Structure formats: structure tokens, C-alpha cells
């Protein structure tokens, strides 16, 4: 058997259950396909170090997950959605400086939404597709935004994921009540109405002051059935180390939801058929081409600012005029949208391109 090029360690969060880590299907695919790309693939968690300095990893062997000691990986594919404990991070950083066995990250994570926004807005093309954005500071600021944006304002955590803790604030035109709706930290929807605006804003401020939030105008990004939707574009580096578009899918939320995230109860549908239904064939082509154009610019801008990246999930809102708005950029994107949408080709690229790019990096060190 040919000697493997190296070992790819897939770093994921722990969770209860069997196996005791997240992203099981994706990890299984990587382990199964890794041999076809000439590498070992092991799954690591932030607590997978032993006192003697060895790693305890998981490998998918003969149809089951097996935990066993593994050698130090050559590449780390960080898929952790929560901060990695310092002891593990320090160990990897130390190994990254080693001369005998250097460990590298497949990609860096992006900082919070505010930093990403400020980097993207420096590009003139992207700036036209970014909603006005600021850091939330106090109730007076929120009042001013509500005056300027009578359709409402949207707040989301600077470091949030999956649509959790998102909030829409608006005045109900028929009775003047203050409406505050959104999702809590458990991703459950809430909806509150206040006749006393000061009371409502004061209660909201107590929540918003616990962490950093960004504030934006509320954009009505609904389909003709009044369901929220967005366009998820996945761009990844391929086996030549070049950025490439892997797929586009529509994520659609339910009635009354503010977001279309799959973790918040949304679903995914075929991009072209959805857009043709909503906008007609010609405009659907324009939207998809524009999304591809913007998605070719975004990774170059962010990589130039924050260092090497390997994949990005870019979420676009689309208004009724067909204009694209850059809603979010995620350096640790999910990829189940393509399977749910029935896009087998894009799903295959989404799962295999991290292995293609890992192989490219390993070959460059031979």
C-alpha cells in the first residue's frame, strides 16, 4: 500500500450521544473519502489530548467509529463552532512552530460580523451590496434608527450563529405598539408587544448589553408566500489551490420566522427553479450570475485581510427588485443545503473539496 501523504485532523465540538462529536455525517464522508485522496483522516475534539502528549482521535473503521491513539496530524481542519480551549490551541500553535513535524491549519476562522463588514466595505463593488451597519450602543441610538427606518431594525450578535439571538424591532403602524420579535439563545421564536415603548426598549437593552450586537435596517427579504429566504453560495479552494464556486442553494424559513437558517427550522430548495418562480427566468439568470461575481471577490478581499481561508458560506438576501444584499459570510459553513435541495453535484463538491485542497497543501510540502 502506498504511503499516505499525511494526516488530516478534523477538529469538531463535543456533544452528547454516539459518537460524542458534532458533524458526524460530514466527518464520516471525509474519513471514507480520505483514502482516495492519499491521506489519513481522523476526527479530533478539543479534549482529545492525553497527559502524555498523544492525541485520542476517532476513525471510521469497518462501519463504526473507533477511538484510538493517533499521531500528530499534518493539517488541522477546524470545524469548531465554539471557541477551542486554550490548552488544545496552545498545543497546536506550538506544533505549528516545530521544525521536525510542522502542523498547519487548513484555514483560519473569520472574526466577528463587524470586522468582516468593515473589510468588505472597503471594496467599491461589494459596498453597494452591504446594508448600513453599526455596533449597537444604547436605547437612544435604537430610537434614532427606528425613526430613520420605519420598516424596522434588525439586530444580531457580532459572534452569533444559526440565527440565535436575532431581534427585529419595529412599530406597528395600525396601533403604534412596539413589536420586538426574534429568536432566543435556544433558537426558539418569541414575539412581544409593548404599548409603553420606553419599557420595551429598556427590557431589550438589558439583553443587548450582555454582548456585542450589530444593528442594520430590516430588509423585507420574503418570497411571494411571505416566507423569509436567502441564497447560500459555497465557495471553496480546489485541488489547485484556487477559489471555485461549489454551489448555490435557496434556504427558506417558515411563516412568521425572521431567518431561513436550517437550524431554526428552515429548509433548502433548488436555486434556479425557486428564483425563476419568484423573478422569472431572465432575472433569475442575472441574480445567479451576480451572486457568482460577488462570491469571486469576497474570498480574495477577506483572505487578503485575515490570512489563508479554504471555504466560505456566503448568504445573500434578495429583495423584490432582485437586488442582492450580503447578509453574512461564514468561514465554517454547513453544506447540508445542497443535499436537501437535491443538488447532488454541488453536494459532492462541497464534501470533497476540503480533501482536494488538503491534498494540494500536503503535496506542496513533499
Amino acid at each position: 500500500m502506498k504511503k499516505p501523504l499525511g494526516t488530516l485532523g478534523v477538529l469538531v465540538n463535543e456533544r452528547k450521544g454516539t459518537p460524542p462529536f458534532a458533524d458526524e455525517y460530514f466527518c464520516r464522508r471525509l474519513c471514507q473519502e480520505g483514502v482516495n485522496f492519499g491521506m489519513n483522516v481522523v476526527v479530533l475534539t478539543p479534549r482529545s489530548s492525553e497527559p502524555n502528549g498523544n492525541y485520542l482521535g476517532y476513525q471510521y473503521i469497518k462501519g463504526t467509529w473507533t477511538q484510538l491513539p493517533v499521531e500528530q496530524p499534518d493539517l488541522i481542519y477546524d470545524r469548531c463552532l465554539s471557541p477551542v480551549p486554550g490548552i488544545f490551541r496552545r498545543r497546536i500553535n506550538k506544533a505549528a512552530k516545530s521544525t521536525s513535524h510542522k502542523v498547519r491549519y487548513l484555514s483560519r476562522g473569520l472574526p466577528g460580523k463587524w470586522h468582516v463588514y468593515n473589510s468588505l466595505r472597503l471594496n467599491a463593488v461589494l459596498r453597494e451590496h452591504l446594508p448600513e451597519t453599526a455596533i449597537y450602543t444604547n436605547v437612544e441610538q435604537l430610537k434614532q434608527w427606528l425613526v430613520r427606518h420605519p420598516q424596522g431594525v434588525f439586530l444580531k450578535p457580532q459572534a452569533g450563529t444559526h440565527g440565535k439571538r436575532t431581534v427585529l424591532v419595529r412599530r406597528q403602524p395600525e396601533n403604534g405598539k412596539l413589536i420586538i420579535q426574534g429568536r432566543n439563545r435556544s433558537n426558539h421564536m418569541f414575539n412581544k408587544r409593548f404599548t409603553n415603548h420606553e419599557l420595551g426598549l429598556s427590557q431589550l437593552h438589558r439583553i443587548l448589553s450582555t454582548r456585542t450586537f450589530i444593528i442594520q435596517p430590516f430588509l423585507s427579504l420574503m418570497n411571494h408566500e411571505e416566507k423569509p429566504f436567502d441564497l447560500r453560495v459555497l465557495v471553496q479552494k480546489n485541488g489547485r489551490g484556487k477559489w471555485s464556486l461549489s454551489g448555490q442553494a435557496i434556504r427558506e424559513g417558515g411563516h412568521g420566522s425572521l431567518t431561513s437558517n436550517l437550524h431554526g427550522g428552515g429548509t433548502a430548495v433548488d436555486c434556479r427553479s425557486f428564483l425563476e418562480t419568484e423573478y422569472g427566468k431572465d432575472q433569475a439568470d442575472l441574480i445567479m450570475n451576480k451572486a457568482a461575481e460577488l462570491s469571486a471577490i469576497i474570498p480574495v478581499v477577506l483572505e487578503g485581510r485575515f490570512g489563508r481561508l479554504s471555504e466560505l458560506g456566503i448568504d445573500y438576501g434578495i429583495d423584490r427588485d432582485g437586488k442582492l444584499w450580503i447578509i453574512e459570510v461564514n468561514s465554517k459553513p454547513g453544506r447540508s443545503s445542497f443535499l436537501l435541495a437535491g443538488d447532488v453535484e454541488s453536494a459532492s463538491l462541497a464534501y470533497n473539496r476540503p480533501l482536494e485542497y488538503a491534498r494540494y497543501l500536503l503535496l506542496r510540502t513533499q
Side-chain angles (χ1 to χ4, degrees):
M1 182 180 291
K2 190 175 179 180
K3 182 181 178 181
L5 292 170
T7 298
L8 174 66
V10 186
L11 182 61
V12 291
N13 291 115
E14 292 95 350
R15 69 166 187 184
K16 294 180 180 178
T18 304
F21 54 82
D23 242 356
E24 190 274 339
Y25 178 73
F26 184 33
C27 291
R28 178 162 27 108
R29 284 282 298 258
L30 292 174
C31 286
Q32 291 172 323
E33 294 293 330
V35 64
N36 297 325
F37 291 87
M39 70 188 79
N40 294 322
V41 178
V42 299
V43 178
L44 303 173
T45 70
R47 295 195 181 96
S48 58
S49 298
E50 290 190 303
N52 61 6
N54 293 328
Y55 290 95
L56 280 177
Y58 295 87
Q59 289 188 294
Y60 196 72
I61 302 172
K62 296 182 179 179
T64 187
W65 286 105
T66 303
Q67 188 180 36
L68 69 170
V70 295
E71 62 183 19
Q72 185 164 271
D74 301 281
L75 288 171
I76 294 288
Y77 182 21
D78 183 2
R79 293 284 304 167
C80 282
L81 297 181
S82 56
V84 176
I87 187 171
F88 188 92
R89 189 170 59 250
R90 285 192 296 273
R91 184 177 176 196
I92 292 296
N93 290 343
K94 181 179 178 181
K97 300 174 183 176
S98 169
T99 55
S100 59
H101 190 158
K102 186 178 287 292
V103 177
R104 293 177 293 165
Y105 280 96
L106 195 67
S107 178
R108 295 177 183 272
L110 287 174
K113 298 177 179 66
W114 177 243
H115 301 291
V116 171
Y117 165 80
N118 279 303
S119 297
L120 296 179
R121 69 185 298 273
L122 296 177
N123 182 281
V125 175
L126 301 179
R127 192 183 308 132
E128 294 182 14
H129 298 272
L130 290 165
E132 179 188 0
T133 304
I135 292 287
Y136 170 78
T137 54
N138 54 46
V139 169
E140 287 305 312
Q141 176 204 35
L142 185 49
K143 288 179 181 178
Q144 293 170 12
W145 273 65
L146 285 169
V147 171
R148 294 209 318 273
H149 304 288
Q151 77 277 17
V153 297
F154 195 68
L155 299 111
K156 52 189 176 183
Q158 214 256 131
T161 59
H162 301 155
K164 297 177 182 178
R165 292 187 168 96
T166 53
V167 181
L168 166 63
V169 186
R170 61 186 177 90
R171 291 189 180 94
Q172 204 164 32
E174 57 269 24
N175 56 26
K177 286 186 177 180
L178 185 74
I179 308 298
I180 300 176
Q181 62 187 115
R183 292 184 174 275
N184 61 21
R185 63 183 180 181
S186 301
N187 224 346
H188 296 141
M189 290 191 295
F190 65 85
N191 193 324
K192 296 184 177 183
R193 289 168 167 76
F194 296 87
T195 302
N196 185 329
H197 289 197
E198 293 294 334
L199 176 62
L201 294 176
S202 176
Q203 288 188 12
L204 178 60
H205 177 73
R206 283 199 291 271
I207 297 171
L208 299 179
S209 61
T210 61
R211 61 186 59 225
T212 302
F213 279 76
I214 61 172
I215 182 170
Q216 298 174 325
F218 177 66
L219 303 173
S220 184
L221 307 172
M222 305 279 184
N223 65 8
H224 69 279
E225 297 179 337
E226 294 297 311
K227 293 180 179 179
F229 75 93
D230 64 18
L231 170 60
R232 161 57 65 93
V233 177
L234 180 65
V235 288
Q236 298 172 293
K237 283 186 175 172
N238 58 27
R240 300 184 305 280
K242 304 296 183 183
W243 285 104
S244 184
L245 192 150
S246 295
Q248 301 185 35
I250 293 292
R251 302 185 305 176
E252 185 181 60
H255 284 292
S257 176
L258 295 179
T259 62
S260 49
N261 302 75
L262 301 184
H263 289 82
T267 188
V269 296
D270 178 72
C271 180
R272 180 168 293 281
S273 58
F274 178 94
L275 292 177
E276 288 184 1
T277 298
E278 292 292 325
Y279 300 95
K281 184 180 185 305
D282 290 344
Q283 195 167 14
D285 288 338
L286 291 173
I287 290 170
M288 292 182 70
N289 289 338
K290 189 64 177 181
E293 175 191 330
L294 296 176
S295 300
I297 299 171
I298 289 171
V300 177
V301 170
L302 294 181
E303 198 166 40
R305 174 67 180 84
F306 300 114
R308 186 172 68 216
L309 301 165
S310 66
E311 58 184 356
L312 294 172
I314 307 169
D315 298 334
Y316 297 97
I318 310 172
D319 63 25
R320 295 315 304 165
D321 294 326
K323 179 171 181 176
L324 285 163
W325 294 96
I326 302 168
I327 302 300
E328 192 158 336
V329 183
N330 190 338
S331 59
K332 299 176 183 179
R335 57 210 76 221
S336 56
S337 296
F338 304 106
L339 282 177
L340 288 172
D343 188 345
V344 177
E345 181 180 355
S346 293
S348 179
L349 290 173
Y351 287 109
N352 285 338
R353 276 195 166 146
L355 293 170
E356 290 181 21
Y357 183 52
R359 184 175 185 275
Y360 166 81
L361 291 178
L362 290 171
L363 284 171
R364 283 168 61 91
T365 61
Q366 298 297 301

